[in-house]
Amino acid sequence: MKIFEAAKAPIQWEERNVTAIKGPGGRWMIPPEAKESMNKNKIGLKGPLKTPIAAGHPSMNLLLRKTFDLYANVRPCVSIEGYKTPYTDVDLVTIRENTEGEYSGIEHLIVDGVVQSIKLITEEASRRIAEYAFEYARNNQRTSVTAVHKANIMRMSDGLFLRKCREVAENYKDVKFTEMYLDTVCLNMVQDPSHFDVLVMPNLYGDILSDLCAGLIGGLGVTPSGNIGANGVAIFESVHGTAPDIAGKDLANPTALLLSAVMMLRHMGLHGYAKKIETACFDTIRDEKVLTKDLGGNAKCSEFTADICRRVQDMD
Amino acid sequence: MILRIIKILKLYIQTVTLIPGDGIGPEISTAVMKIFEAAKAPIQWEERNVTAIKGPGGRWMIPPEAKESMNKNKIGLKGPLKTPIAAGHPSMNLLLRKTFDLYANVRPCVSIEGYKTPYTDVDLVTIRENTEGEYSGIEHLIVDGVVQSIKLITEEASRRIAEYAFEYARNNQRTSVTAVHKANIMRMSDGLFLRKCREVAENYKDVKFTEMYLDTVCLNMVQDPSHFDVLVMPNLYGDILSDLCAGLIGGLGVTPSGNIGANGVAIFESVHGTAPDIAGKDLANPTALLLSAVMMLRHMGLHGYAKKIETACFDTIRDEKVLTKDLGGNAKCSEFTADICRRVQDMD
């Protein structure tokens, strides 16, 4: 919020809590005030939520996903100059179908010692995610969309997913469409990630690839993420944990949440402010003078933040 | 007298089934045989072809001579096979897997000095359950536009692969075995897999056992692969991770692979393609097949020969003077092979 203020971004914040409560009928739900706020504003920014172990209710992230039908998880992964990793030229986006696939949660004990888990792929969800991927590519001047799959093995399920991608590709001739096996993507990704642009895939593959790509640029502490839902709802979030050991000690690195907020600004069409804040953040990191501990320095969170604010103000 | 000595010596020479394969298969197989000869390894090769034929009853099968050879010798070395597009029969690799119940796919990935990748200290092994899981091939159209794919996990297959992983760790002086899973999401299937791993771990207290989510493994693997040792996992995860790890050390051209089956059968193979564009031109890189053959020697307990050949191979690559094109040089396959042979002979 401090950085946005320094940038004079035309945003005002409405804070809400999403701790699960039990609604009428005994079903767990997010608090009505949070739900109303999201439905009204459409755009949200979210920090890490703790995962309850024995709280009796499902994960909050799952509840949010179901409440707002957050069908697309989007992670742009760009190498950050100043934060060394074995790679310098990563610039790709993973777009993961987040409602079905291998995570349907449908499992059965067939006979003693034999379990089956069902992967569900539907035409509708596949079409929807493919459409989102191509729209994203077009709106963000990306060159190509690659469908990641294992249709050679899972002919019907991944085959259906692939078919919908091909159909949607027909309506986006300005964007190059390619297909690649998941194992080939992984093999090539760790040798030369610069070959990849926008990647679209079903749930499990997306889970894996989005984390693999986050690793390429330095991990969850610097990776932005956005969840696109139905009815224009979009929630941007940092995907790292709550780090209880350093909470409240002014040691945290706000980069992931900040870059997610930048992603949010772009989604809202506020490209100028997005560029300004992102540049300030990258400049601070590249300079390597004021870095939080996880980035290799020993600055406080407030000092890191202040450095970015200063740069943002200097740009005006 | 001389005949008796020869007969005794022959007892120590083991016969291995060699399947050269297609494309560059024959030339890299020749390279391996040359190097083994230079090393005086006690191996004799029995070449067999595995092009699918139709058996009685119309079912596709591997030729009986190939099957007999494998069942007799137990150990096999295989080059790349071409995947038939419209041949009407299933992939040969699938046929081999079913014929010999090749339940474990094992890939040791070690960074190769002289072949630069973003990583220098990779030394891990992926052990993939290769018979069930997501690759059961059971799919249904539920209603129009809704398809389901079934992932099958059984207690037996999970126990078997876990046992193999711990045995491998023990026999190869590895420190730990990590079960890779998504049991937080797939509670019953991956949960069962994990449970069997934990049970088997109880019988191998000398090996450290840990568990890690697949996405966390990927996230950490590309940041610091040196933390990983032996990894065991179900089919799909193994497919992904084994290729990811091959990428870390430079790709399929330098990665060895072994398939362990029931009844003591084991087939070691290079996992790259047939490279038809360079086949027959003396340009191929035999490293993957050679390192798979080295893996085979270790499996057979012939550690001295394995070390000798592996060292010669790594020395040639480290020296960077005689390298095939894919390794960044411009030497022929035969020159690369000759260099390794020379080093092997110099070691005696």
Side-chain angles (χ1 to χ4, degrees):
Chain A
M1 289 193 283
K2 278 212 176 85
I3 295 169
F4 268 51
E5 201 186 322
K8 300 198 189 68
I11 302 287
Q12 73 184 4
W13 308 95
E14 200 169 87
E15 276 192 51
R16 288 291 181 270
N17 183 305
V18 294
T19 312
I21 60 169
K22 246 191 174 149
R27 258 179 74 220
W28 289 102
M29 52 187 246
I30 67 170
E33 312 82 50
K35 190 171 174 183
E36 272 166 42
S37 175
M38 267 310 306
N39 283 327
K40 170 171 62 80
N41 300 327
K42 299 296 183 191
I43 309 293
L45 183 67
K46 174 188 152 291
L49 295 174
K50 57 177 189 264
T51 321
I53 310 266
H57 62 74
S59 94
M60 287 315 307
N61 286 318
L62 184 63
L63 263 184
L64 280 168
R65 197 175 311 137
K66 297 247 180 235
T67 307
F68 300 108
D69 195 16
L70 302 176
Y71 67 92
N73 179 258
V74 186
R75 278 199 210 168
C77 292
V78 182
S79 286
I80 299 176
E81 213 186 319
Y83 189 40
K84 257 188 89 42
T85 73
Y87 306 94
T88 55
D89 50 6
V90 182
D91 184 4
L92 56 84
V93 186
T94 56
I95 296 182
R96 160 191 181 184
E97 201 295 319
N98 216 5
T99 65
E100 55 177 34
E102 300 82 350
Y103 294 175
S104 312
I106 309 166
E107 297 187 287
H108 311 110
L109 179 71
I110 306 294
V111 292
D112 214 13
V114 180
V115 171
Q116 82 177 12
S117 190
I118 310 239
K119 163 177 168 165
L120 222 58
I121 296 287
T122 66
E123 194 168 331
E124 186 48 35
S126 304
R127 188 201 55 76
R128 188 165 63 162
I129 195 72
E131 286 256 13
Y132 182 78
F134 279 95
E135 276 298 320
Y136 182 96
R138 196 178 258 175
N139 296 340
N140 290 275
Q141 291 82 50
R142 308 296 305 206
T143 322
S144 71
V145 169
T146 302
V148 182
H149 67 100
K150 288 290 290 180
N152 50 338
I153 308 284
M154 285 184 259
R155 296 162 190 251
M156 288 183 81
S157 48
D158 282 4
L160 173 57
F161 179 83
L162 204 52
R163 247 186 348 270
K164 300 318 283 181
C165 288
R166 288 172 181 160
E167 282 172 26
V168 170
E170 290 296 311
N171 299 331
Y172 291 84
K173 294 289 195 186
D174 48 320
V175 179
K176 185 174 162 202
F177 174 63
T178 55
E179 309 170 1
M180 202 181 273
Y181 294 136
L182 174 61
D183 43 347
T184 308
V185 170
C186 290
L187 178 74
N188 294 345
M189 182 74 79
V190 296
Q191 295 185 79
D192 189 359
S194 69
H195 285 152
F196 295 93
D197 196 345
V198 177
L199 302 160
V200 64
M201 62 225 108
N203 215 333
L204 173 72
Y205 311 161
D207 189 4
I208 299 164
L209 268 184
S210 61
D211 273 5
L212 199 170
C213 294
L216 300 178
I217 63 167
L220 302 185
V222 295
T223 305
S225 181
N227 298 289
I228 310 301
N231 302 319
V233 167
I235 303 180
F236 299 84
E237 60 172 352
S238 54
V239 285
H240 52 66
T242 53
D245 51 327
I246 60 167
K249 299 181 182 172
D250 197 18
L251 293 170
N253 174 5
T255 303
L257 189 63
L258 183 64
L259 293 180
S260 301
V262 164
M263 208 181 150
M264 177 189 83
L265 288 171
R266 291 201 164 104
H267 178 85
M268 297 164 81
L270 296 166
H271 296 280
Y273 292 99
K275 191 77 194 154
K276 194 159 71 173
I277 295 169
E278 187 187 51
T279 303
C281 177
F282 284 167
D283 284 351
T284 294
I285 297 176
R286 188 188 310 115
D287 231 17
E288 294 187 55
K289 292 205 183 71
V290 191
L291 295 177
T292 48
K293 188 147 174 272
D294 63 306
L295 292 175
N298 48 21
K300 294 202 176 76
C301 173
S302 50
E303 293 167 337
F304 181 75
T305 305
D307 199 72
I308 298 176
C309 287
R310 186 181 54 76
R311 292 175 190 273
V312 160
Q313 282 158 336
D314 285 351
M315 286 181 197
D316 288 326
Chain B
M1 179 64 183
I2 295 180
L3 284 174
R4 260 192 39 210
I5 294 174
I6 293 175
K7 220 172 173 178
I8 292 168
L9 283 174
K10 275 206 160 146
L11 280 175
Y12 291 99
I13 297 181
Q14 281 177 268
T15 309
V16 167
T17 304
L18 176 68
I19 301 164
D22 310 306
I24 58 172
E27 53 203 289
I28 56 176
S29 298
T30 302
V32 171
M33 288 193 282
K34 277 209 175 94
I35 295 168
F36 268 54
E37 200 186 323
K40 298 197 190 70
I43 302 287
Q44 75 184 4
W45 308 96
E46 197 169 89
E47 274 192 53
R48 288 291 181 268
N49 183 305
V50 294
T51 312
I53 60 167
K54 246 185 176 158
R59 258 179 74 221
W60 288 102
M61 51 186 248
I62 68 169
E65 313 81 50
K67 191 170 174 187
E68 270 166 45
S69 176
M70 268 310 308
N71 282 328
K72 170 171 61 82
N73 300 327
K74 298 296 183 194
I75 310 293
L77 183 69
K78 175 186 151 294
L81 296 175
K82 59 176 189 262
T83 321
I85 311 267
H89 62 75
S91 95
M92 288 314 309
N93 287 318
L94 184 63
L95 263 185
L96 279 168
R97 196 174 311 137
K98 296 245 179 235
T99 307
F100 300 107
D101 195 15
L102 302 176
Y103 67 94
N105 178 259
V106 186
R107 277 199 210 170
C109 292
V110 182
S111 287
I112 300 176
E113 212 185 321
Y115 190 39
K116 256 189 90 43
T117 73
Y119 306 93
T120 54
D121 51 6
V122 182
D123 184 2
L124 55 84
V125 185
T126 57
I127 297 182
R128 159 191 182 183
E129 200 296 319
N130 215 5
T131 65
E132 56 177 35
E134 301 81 349
Y135 293 175
S136 312
I138 310 167
E139 296 188 287
H140 310 110
L141 178 70
I142 306 296
V143 293
D144 214 15
V146 181
V147 171
Q148 81 176 12
S149 190
I150 310 238
K151 163 175 167 166
L152 222 58
I153 296 287
T154 66
E155 194 168 331
E156 187 48 35
S158 303
R159 188 200 54 76
R160 188 165 65 163
I161 195 72
E163 286 257 11
Y164 182 77
F166 279 95
E167 276 298 318
Y168 182 95
R170 198 178 259 173
N171 295 340
N172 290 276
Q173 291 82 49
R174 308 295 304 205
T175 322
S176 70
V177 169
T178 302
V180 182
H181 67 100
K182 287 289 290 179
N184 50 338
I185 309 282
M186 285 183 260
R187 296 160 190 253
M188 287 182 82
S189 49
D190 282 4
L192 173 57
F193 179 83
L194 204 52
R195 249 188 345 271
K196 299 319 284 180
C197 288
R198 288 172 182 160
E199 283 172 24
V200 172
E202 290 296 311
N203 299 330
Y204 292 83
K205 293 290 196 189
D206 48 319
V207 179
K208 184 175 163 203
F209 173 63
T210 56
E211 309 169 2
M212 202 181 271
Y213 294 137
L214 173 60
D215 43 347
T216 309
V217 171
C218 291
L219 178 74
N220 293 345
M221 182 73 78
V222 296
Q223 296 184 79
D224 190 358
S226 70
H227 285 151
F228 295 93
D229 195 343
V230 177
L231 303 159
V232 64
M233 62 225 109
N235 215 334
L236 173 71
Y237 310 160
D239 189 3
I240 299 165
L241 268 184
S242 60
D243 273 5
L244 200 170
C245 294
L248 300 178
I249 64 166
L252 302 184
V254 295
T255 305
S257 180
N259 298 289
I260 310 301
N263 302 318
V265 167
I267 302 180
F268 299 84
E269 61 172 353
S270 55
V271 285
H272 52 65
T274 53
D277 50 329
I278 59 168
K281 299 182 183 172
D282 198 18
L283 293 170
N285 174 4
T287 302
L289 189 62
L290 184 64
L291 293 180
S292 301
V294 163
M295 208 181 150
M296 178 189 85
L297 286 170
R298 291 199 164 106
H299 178 86
M300 297 163 82
L302 296 166
H303 296 278
Y305 293 99
K307 191 75 195 158
K308 194 159 68 172
I309 294 170
E310 187 186 52
T311 303
C313 178
F314 284 167
D315 284 351
T316 294
I317 297 176
R318 188 190 309 114
D319 230 19
E320 292 186 58
K321 292 206 184 70
V322 191
L323 295 177
T324 49
K325 189 148 174 269
D326 62 306
L327 292 174
N330 49 21
K332 294 202 175 81
C333 173
S334 50
E335 292 167 338
F336 181 76
T337 306
D339 199 71
I340 298 176
C341 287
R342 187 183 53 75
R343 293 176 190 273
V344 160
Q345 282 158 335
D346 284 350
M347 286 181 196
D348 288 329

